[in-house]
Amino acid sequence: MSDLTEKDTPDTGRTQAVRRGGGDPGTRGRTTIADGVVEKITGMAARDVAGVHALGSGMARTFGAVRDRVPGGSKSVTRGVKAEVGEKQTALDLEIVVEYGVSISDVARDVRENVVAAVERMTGLEVVEVNIAVSDVKLPDEEDEEPAEPRIR
């Protein structure tokens, strides 16, 4: 449907084009983005960084691993991520576990860069801050906290 209509002008007898609506159709209306959407994008982007072993505290990962094994349950990419989303900006808090031997400051910088790029590209929101708490270091000989496969099925 065109945003132009024709209108007869009584005094001249000519037809005049009149614009209906205002501006670009892509700018009409509002788009809202849920906190959970930004949290998922953030979680995926943070996990893509070399040196990040996991997101979330040890206890959250343990409960999450149990929850992930429940039939119908799915892995939570938002574990360890909290987002506050406004109309144009977002602020993010992450809790990560890093691999032993990596530079924590380098990993944190890389996580920030990757998260900001992904969130801003996908949502159009301005990321005003990315706070990172390193809650643990994964040692090479340390087992993951996820429960082992059950022996009996």
Side-chain angles (χ1 to χ4, degrees):
M1 181 174 170
S2 172
D3 62 346
L4 292 177
T5 59
E6 293 184 354
K7 176 180 152 188
D8 288 330
T9 55
D11 54 333
T12 64
R14 292 190 295 181
T15 303
Q16 172 184 351
V18 177
R19 183 172 296 277
R20 291 188 1 215
D24 177 27
T27 62
R28 297 180 196 170
R30 239 175 44 161
T31 302
T32 57
I33 300 172
D35 292 3
V37 171
V38 175
E39 289 169 354
K40 283 184 179 183
I41 295 167
T42 300
M44 293 298 292
R47 282 176 174 77
D48 284 345
V49 174
V52 174
H53 175 71
L55 270 66
S57 66
M59 191 61 78
R61 291 194 325 272
T62 301
F63 285 131
V66 171
R67 188 175 48 248
D68 293 345
R69 295 197 182 276
V70 173
S74 61
K75 284 202 172 216
S76 175
V77 296
T78 61
R79 188 179 313 135
V81 180
K82 177 72 177 117
E84 293 180 37
V85 180
E87 286 186 27
K88 297 181 181 185
Q89 296 178 324
T90 186
L92 307 166
D93 295 319
L94 286 90
E95 189 172 359
I96 67 172
V97 177
V98 298
E99 298 284 345
Y100 176 79
V102 300
S103 165
I104 293 174
S105 60
D106 289 348
V107 170
R109 184 195 62 241
D110 293 346
V111 167
R112 280 188 184 92
E113 289 174 355
N114 208 38
V115 164
V116 168
V119 171
E120 288 186 347
R121 177 179 51 82
M122 293 181 71
T123 66
L125 296 168
E126 176 191 3
V127 179
V128 293
E129 65 182 8
V130 179
N131 299 311
I132 298 174
V134 178
S135 62
D136 202 358
V137 173
K138 168 68 170 77
L139 301 176
D141 58 346
E142 199 173 47
E143 288 187 31
D144 283 335
E145 294 175 3
E146 296 184 8
E149 286 289 320
R151 295 180 5 191
I152 302 173
R153 291 188 185 249

